[in-house]
């Protein structure tokens, strides 16, 4: 099973998210996906580059980080399921209103 694992900008929860990603990577092919905020923002919880490197190491591949890279996911049916964790309120609102303006949405 191929699982998209999307990260949004709730950086304070990454310490809980990465262990789940590690566990899932033992049984599934994970494709990391970063929102624009998650891909470009460093915070007191770590640098963007540290988070990107960690997800890449866990999943064994570089993350999808642009709309152009994410676009084929639907039409080509590249994922069996998608996890968005953490899912910020901003991302949840966009999904509920059908706004697709980034790699996660």
């Amino acid at each position: 099973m191929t699982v998209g694992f999307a990260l949004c900008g709730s950086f304070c929860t990454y310490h809980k998210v990465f262990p789940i990603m590690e566990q899932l990577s033992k049984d599934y092919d994970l494709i990391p996906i970063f929102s624009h905020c998650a891909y470009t923002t460093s915070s007191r919880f770590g640098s963007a580059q540290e988070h990107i490197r960690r997800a890449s190491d866990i999943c064994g591949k570089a993350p999808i980080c642009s709309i152009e890279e994410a676009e084929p996911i639907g039409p080509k049916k590249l994922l069996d399921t998608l996890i968005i964790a953490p899912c910020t309120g901003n991302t949840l609102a966009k999904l509920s209103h059908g706004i697709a303006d980034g790699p996660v949405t």
Side-chain angles (χ1 to χ4, degrees):
M1 182 181 294
T2 303
V3 178
F5 201 111
L7 291 100
C8 297
S10 182
F11 308 109
C12 62
T13 62
Y14 281 18
H15 72 282
K16 294 182 179 184
V17 171
F18 280 120
I20 294 167
M21 185 184 281
E22 289 172 342
Q23 185 65 35
L24 290 171
S25 72
K26 295 175 184 176
D27 297 316
Y28 304 102
D29 178 28
L30 297 185
I31 297 177
I33 305 165
F34 275 65
S35 71
H36 177 73
C37 181
Y39 192 75
T40 61
T41 305
S42 295
S43 73
R44 65 186 176 107
F45 300 102
S47 73
Q49 289 305 315
E50 290 169 344
H51 299 310
I52 293 163
R53 185 172 32 258
R54 186 162 182 198
S56 297
D57 289 347
I58 293 168
C59 299
K61 55 187 71 71
I64 292 172
C65 58
S66 70
I67 292 173
E68 295 81 10
E69 291 174 315
E71 186 182 34
I73 290 173
K76 292 185 178 182
K77 300 180 185 199
L78 299 178
L79 303 177
D80 295 301
T81 192
L82 174 65
I83 296 168
I84 304 175
C87 183
T88 60
N90 185 53
T91 296
L92 186 59
K94 288 178 181 185
L95 290 171
S96 69
H97 291 283
I99 298 170
D101 65 350
V104 174
T105 55

